[in-house]
Amino acid sequence: MKAWEATLRKTQAAKKRANSIFGTVSVTPHTDDEEDEEPTSASTGEIYHAERFLPNGDIYTGQWYENFPHGHGKYLWTDGCMYVGEWYRGKAMGRGRFSWPSGAIYDGDFKSNYMDGKGTYTGSSGDTYRGDWVMNLKHGHGLRSFSNGDEYEGDWQRGLEEGNGRYKWSNGNYYIGEWMAGVICGKGTFLWASTGNRYDGLWEDGLPKGKGTFLWPDGSFYTGNWSKDPEERNGSYYPSGSSPMDGNNLDWDPQQVFDELSHCEICFGEKVPVLPSQKKLAMWRSSKGGGENKARRMSVDGRVSVGVERMTDRFKMFEEEGDFGAAREASMDNDADLFGSEMEQFGNLRISGGGQQLRIPKVGKKQGETIYKGHKNYDLMLNLQLGIRHSVGRAPPPDNLDLKASAFDVKEKIWTRFPPEGSKYTPPHQSCDFRWKDYCPQVFRTLRKLFKVDPADYMLSICGNNALRELSSPGKSGSFFYLTHDDRYMIKTMKKAEAKVLIRMLSAYYNHFRGFENTLVTKFYGLHCVKLIGPAQKKVRFVIMGNLFCSEYTIHRRFDLKGSSLGRTTDKPESEIDGNTILKDLDLNFIFRLHKQFFQQFYRQIDRDCEFLEQERIMDYSLLVGLYFRETSVAGYLIPSGARTPTGDPDDEGTPHLSRADVDQLLNDPSRWASIKLGVNMPARVERTVRSTGCELQLVGEPTGEFYEVVMFFGIIDILQDYDISKKLEHAYKSIQYDPILISAVDPRQYSRRFRDFIFKIFMEDA
């Protein structure tokens, strides 16, 4: 409070000086006092020491460059938070120390206002973490000591214990082994300090689950299958130096282990009160340049606005001053000048690397045509919804993820007839008589559990009161696509050959997902068939998949990338390209740069996924990439990260550009980091590329050094095409006309190698 009161007094005493240096948030007439501003070295572009009292009460003391902190300095917020350390163009960058009013302190590396690199966080309650950070999250290797005496040292992923680690309780007990999402899960060892007893084996959700062995200090042990459900437990007891005994005849009960473990809780510790990247930096603005009659606007999070002011912003400001009518009249008079000058200003913006200023494509209409009664596929939609409701609601979710080989058998399918009048097992309906086939139902039920899909939510998305949407045109394969109303699931009709491929590879597909949680391969939730009863005897097979672009972010650019060049360009003119247009390899004009931790994870996963597809003789798959550009101007131009955005005020050209709050929601809501994983909601940067003149078939252009902040979505799609006779004939035919390296239809091994080579050229580590 003393610091705040002192700050307030200094601010009031220096109000005129602050207004002349930083500007105000309301329209003020020009006065002679503003001409008394002290001359500084800002006009010369030199770094100098300065003390700034900001209009909102914040104080900055340290090195200054043009109109923002640059070098070493101290920033004190009115709420008591303080940062002391290195700055780069208005952002905390380098080594620094951030303290909170509660007494919590972070001392370590910063990158663009994030805790990023090596650092130590000490909480107000005594919790400490010393280790690696990535974008405000514990990510890498670190040691955390809790205030209750517990301690964890090991791997972290996205703020939670994940990987290999050692957790020691205050009573001396400890666990060494694998973790997942902050919970003991995988293979590990638990040691009781008081007795010397030990458990070695598999774990799930913090408890023994699967094969395991319990050992006593005298050498005797109990081994078998463990589960919190007593009916699933079985094992044998081996006394020290004796033959085995039936574990069911022991006086000792394995339930004692579960009872003891229930008292060993994992401590979560305290959370960071306010993330440094969320702290507002008060806007400073020179009053020189003849712009004294222009309304000054500060964004919600205190960041500098992109482009020029919006008309509505001026309405709000004048309304606060009690003169809304005058503001409206002034805004209407200057409307054309405002937006016309913005276009001119952005036309004059110079870009490193040259080339035309990029714009986000126009927003496309919501994909698909809603299937109402009277639509040619209305009955098919009803049949599909009836069948899925029957399949999902008929059987309970599986108890565990272990499946027998018989569950993957080709003959493992269930036929159900749906007469219009209903039957003992099916409800009456208004559609035609049809039969419903469920392929490998137990496998797909278990997959949905593995994907953490709630059966009720699954049925509600597909079979609720809302109709499906049919995409306007079928894909190249002739398949039709349908989207659920909430965009979570995509339903694709498929050929018999594709269904056979999926069933053939289903066992390997299931094991791949169990082994690699972050796999980029398409998620399949069900495989079904509708057969109409009657003369037509029409069969429609379809698979239910996850929609990669189901997100609250508007996808501005979509790319389908294979690594081949023949025919790999969109056939639409530039004027018709919108946010829904799928661009291809030769349309790509970016290199994707991922943070070091994410890139290493991505590199390993691409290798694993390609090896899996190669073993299953799959080819012609592609990487689907979606980009959301976080920084755009009012006129729809993309703003390069770190670019100086002209606003018509000469002195403002030195002002740093920071993202607006309304397009930077990810940074301001730390709870959203829990939704970030490989290929989903990933913050990254893209670097613009330009192809050389006369190299139309050049897959990867030359980097220009022009970067954009994005949120990325990506995954591997179209994984049901094996290298059959039709693809072999296509390869032979096209090889006569074109270079075999350029065509898409090649042997799975060659396809995998070419695909990986291309992906690792366009995805790089962000240095």
Side-chain angles (χ1 to χ4, degrees):
M1 285 296 297
K2 290 182 179 179
W4 185 83
E5 290 171 357
T7 300
L8 189 60
R9 286 195 300 271
K10 291 181 180 179
T11 302
Q12 292 173 345
K15 185 175 181 181
K16 290 184 179 180
R17 179 177 172 230
N19 285 340
S20 66
I21 297 175
F22 298 108
T24 61
V25 294
S26 60
V27 177
T28 55
H30 177 70
T31 64
D32 294 336
D33 293 339
E34 292 182 346
E35 296 177 357
D36 296 334
E37 183 181 339
E38 298 177 13
T40 68
S41 302
S43 59
T44 64
E46 298 176 356
I47 298 176
Y48 62 100
H49 187 274
E51 185 175 3
R52 298 291 188 238
F53 298 92
L54 285 81
N56 67 344
D58 294 353
I59 297 177
Y60 173 79
T61 305
Q63 291 179 298
W64 193 266
Y65 177 71
E66 294 184 346
N67 283 326
F68 44 88
H70 187 84
H72 191 277
K74 178 174 70 174
Y75 194 105
L76 176 64
W77 285 267
T78 54
D79 62 358
C81 290
M82 182 173 66
Y83 171 78
V84 181
E86 298 174 1
W87 295 82
Y88 181 79
R89 294 184 175 274
K91 295 183 180 181
M93 189 86 74
R95 195 74 183 175
R97 180 185 178 94
F98 193 97
S99 57
W100 288 263
S102 62
I105 295 173
Y106 170 81
D107 192 343
D109 297 331
F110 283 84
K111 182 178 179 181
S112 298
N113 296 331
Y114 291 98
M115 300 182 288
D116 196 304
K118 299 283 185 181
T120 300
Y121 174 82
T122 304
S124 57
S125 64
D127 286 1
T128 61
Y129 170 82
R130 183 181 295 104
D132 298 328
W133 296 77
V134 173
M135 302 185 79
N136 291 333
L137 293 176
K138 305 172 188 71
H139 193 95
H141 186 85
L143 168 65
R144 184 165 189 179
S145 301
F146 300 92
S147 57
N148 65 352
D150 292 358
E151 185 178 278
Y152 172 83
E153 182 175 10
D155 297 331
W156 295 78
Q157 295 282 337
R158 297 180 292 276
L160 296 172
E161 300 93 334
E162 184 162 330
N164 289 295
R166 180 182 187 271
Y167 192 101
K168 183 179 180 181
W169 282 264
S170 56
N171 60 9
N173 296 345
Y174 67 85
Y175 167 83
I176 301 177
E178 297 177 347
W179 295 72
M180 182 174 291
V183 178
I184 296 174
C185 187
K187 189 175 182 180
T189 298
F190 192 100
L191 181 74
W192 283 263
S194 59
T195 62
N197 297 339
R198 191 179 77 193
Y199 170 81
D200 291 324
L202 300 177
W203 298 74
E204 186 177 296
D205 293 332
L207 294 172
K209 180 65 181 293
K211 300 294 183 181
T213 301
F214 188 87
L215 300 95
W216 284 268
D218 62 1
S220 57
F221 62 93
Y222 171 90
T223 184
N225 188 66
W226 294 72
S227 175
K228 61 182 178 181
D229 184 358
E231 296 182 359
E232 295 182 4
R233 297 180 200 148
N234 59 76
S236 299
Y237 172 72
Y238 292 79
S240 179
S242 303
S243 58
M245 298 172 53
D246 186 356
N248 296 324
N249 298 325
L250 280 177
D251 293 336
W252 174 81
D253 187 355
Q255 181 62 37
Q256 297 177 23
V257 176
F258 291 90
D259 294 339
E260 292 172 3
L261 288 173
S262 64
H263 301 294
C264 296
E265 297 182 351
I266 305 298
C267 183
F268 292 102
E270 67 176 63
K271 294 183 178 180
V272 179
V274 178
L275 298 176
S277 59
Q278 290 180 284
K279 292 301 298 177
K280 302 176 182 179
L281 294 182
M283 188 180 91
W284 46 85
R285 181 167 180 157
S286 173
S287 61
K288 296 179 293 182
E292 53 273 357
N293 289 324
K294 182 189 289 186
R296 312 296 172 89
R297 183 172 70 92
M298 189 186 304
S299 64
V300 177
D301 64 348
R303 297 177 176 184
V304 181
S305 303
V306 178
V308 296
E309 300 154 323
R310 302 178 186 174
M311 220 164 31
T312 54
D313 296 322
R314 285 193 279 171
F315 290 168
K316 291 177 183 177
M317 282 189 298
F318 280 101
E319 188 174 14
E320 291 173 359
E321 296 291 330
D323 193 10
F324 174 72
R328 183 177 182 276
E329 183 178 354
S331 297
M332 294 296 289
D333 291 340
N334 296 319
D335 184 34
D337 294 338
L338 175 67
F339 292 101
S341 62
E342 181 188 33
M343 293 294 290
E344 181 180 356
Q345 290 155 6
F346 275 101
N348 295 331
L349 178 62
R350 297 190 179 276
I351 304 170
S352 58
Q356 186 178 0
Q357 174 91 13
L358 294 180
R359 300 189 63 164
I360 58 172
K362 58 184 178 182
V363 179
K365 297 180 180 178
K366 193 169 184 177
Q367 287 182 289
E369 173 191 0
T370 304
I371 304 177
Y372 291 113
K373 192 169 184 178
H375 191 280
K376 63 178 181 178
N377 288 326
Y378 179 73
D379 285 344
L380 177 62
M381 182 191 73
L382 290 182
N383 298 346
L384 186 153
Q385 292 178 326
L386 285 166
I388 290 177
R389 189 180 293 116
H390 174 75
S391 297
V392 177
R394 179 183 57 194
D399 296 328
N400 56 65
L401 301 178
D402 297 324
L403 292 174
K404 297 180 180 179
S406 58
F408 300 94
D409 195 293
V410 178
K411 299 179 182 178
E412 186 68 17
K413 48 195 172 186
I414 299 175
W415 278 104
T416 305
R417 184 170 179 178
F418 283 77
E421 65 276 9
S423 68
K424 183 179 179 180
Y425 303 103
T426 62
H429 57 88
Q430 300 177 352
S431 183
C432 58
D433 192 358
F434 71 95
R435 294 181 69 192
W436 171 264
K437 184 192 285 188
D438 223 354
Y439 295 92
C440 301
Q442 187 180 359
V443 176
F444 285 104
R445 276 200 304 272
T446 311
L447 277 172
R448 290 194 291 270
K449 180 181 180 180
L450 184 65
F451 299 152
K452 296 179 175 60
V453 174
D454 182 75
D457 292 339
Y458 182 71
M459 283 196 294
L460 192 62
S461 290
I462 302 175
C463 313
N465 296 328
N466 299 90
L468 302 177
R469 304 198 311 274
E470 182 181 74
L471 296 192
S472 57
S473 61
K476 185 178 178 181
S477 62
S479 300
F480 283 85
F481 292 86
Y482 303 90
L483 285 171
T484 56
H485 71 96
D486 55 5
D487 289 338
R488 290 180 63 186
Y489 303 104
M490 181 175 286
I491 301 167
K492 173 189 175 183
T493 63
M494 59 194 314
K495 300 175 182 177
K496 184 176 181 180
E498 291 178 311
K500 284 184 174 181
V501 170
L502 178 55
I503 295 173
R504 172 180 61 79
M505 64 183 286
L506 193 56
S507 177
Y509 175 88
Y510 178 78
N511 291 329
H512 186 72
F513 268 92
R514 282 204 69 178
F516 306 107
E517 181 188 17
N518 292 319
T519 177
L520 300 174
V521 173
T522 304
K523 290 182 177 179
F524 295 123
Y525 298 93
L527 178 62
H528 312 282
C529 176
V530 169
K531 182 179 180 181
L532 304 181
I533 304 296
Q537 295 285 310
K538 181 182 178 183
K539 279 187 179 181
V540 181
R541 299 173 183 84
F542 55 90
V543 65
I544 302 174
M545 309 178 294
N547 180 15
L548 182 63
F549 295 149
C550 177
S551 170
E552 60 193 47
Y553 295 104
T554 301
I555 304 299
H556 295 139
R557 286 289 190 195
R558 303 167 191 245
F559 295 97
D560 181 278
L561 307 172
K562 293 185 176 182
S564 59
S565 57
L566 186 63
R568 299 296 297 162
T569 183
T570 183
D571 53 1
K572 285 186 177 182
E574 185 69 26
S575 58
E576 296 181 12
I577 293 177
D578 58 24
N580 295 328
T581 304
I582 304 293
L583 304 175
K584 299 181 182 178
D585 300 65
L586 295 179
D587 303 312
L588 180 65
N589 57 341
F590 296 109
I591 290 175
F592 310 110
R593 296 192 176 273
L594 307 181
H595 192 280
K596 179 180 179 180
Q597 298 282 357
F598 290 130
F599 178 76
Q600 292 173 351
Q601 192 178 7
F602 171 78
Y603 192 99
R604 290 192 298 266
Q605 196 57 56
I606 284 289
D607 272 339
R608 292 165 180 162
D609 291 342
C610 287
E611 287 172 4
F612 158 68
L613 295 172
E614 182 182 333
Q615 290 171 2
E616 296 303 313
R617 302 289 296 167
I618 302 297
M619 44 80 65
D620 214 21
Y621 46 87
S622 57
L623 187 74
L624 186 62
V625 178
L627 300 178
Y628 165 78
F629 290 93
R630 284 166 40 192
E631 301 185 5
T632 59
S633 73
V634 178
Y637 288 94
L638 302 185
I639 306 300
S641 57
R644 300 179 183 180
T645 307
T647 59
D649 200 346
D651 283 346
D652 277 19
E653 294 185 7
T655 304
H657 167 72
L658 299 173
S659 304
R660 291 172 298 173
D662 54 355
V663 298
D664 203 9
Q665 301 173 17
L666 182 64
L667 304 181
N668 292 330
D669 188 355
S671 62
R672 292 192 183 174
W673 287 107
S675 65
I676 296 176
K677 62 179 184 178
L678 191 64
V680 179
N681 284 339
M682 284 189 59
R685 294 200 306 165
V686 296
E687 182 178 5
R688 187 179 180 185
T689 61
V690 177
R691 288 180 173 80
S692 304
T693 306
C695 298
E696 291 79 7
L697 297 181
Q698 182 183 1
L699 281 175
V700 184
E702 299 299 327
T704 62
E706 180 183 324
F707 296 91
Y708 299 90
E709 301 286 340
V710 298
V711 177
M712 289 191 69
F713 302 81
F714 52 80
I716 298 176
I717 63 170
D718 296 337
I719 64 167
L720 298 180
Q721 179 60 60
D722 62 349
Y723 196 51
D724 57 11
I725 186 64
S726 64
K727 287 295 179 182
K728 291 178 182 178
L729 290 174
E730 179 185 346
H731 173 77
Y733 174 73
K734 289 186 176 180
S735 296
I736 300 173
Q737 299 175 299
Y738 309 101
D739 186 344
I741 299 177
L742 304 179
I743 62 179
S744 178
V746 294
D747 176 85
R749 178 177 296 179
Q750 182 181 347
Y751 191 94
S752 173
R753 183 170 59 251
R754 183 181 67 186
F755 180 79
R756 277 185 272 193
D757 289 344
F758 174 65
I759 294 301
F760 295 145
K761 287 179 181 177
I762 60 174
F763 278 82
M764 296 182 180
E765 181 180 326
D766 190 355

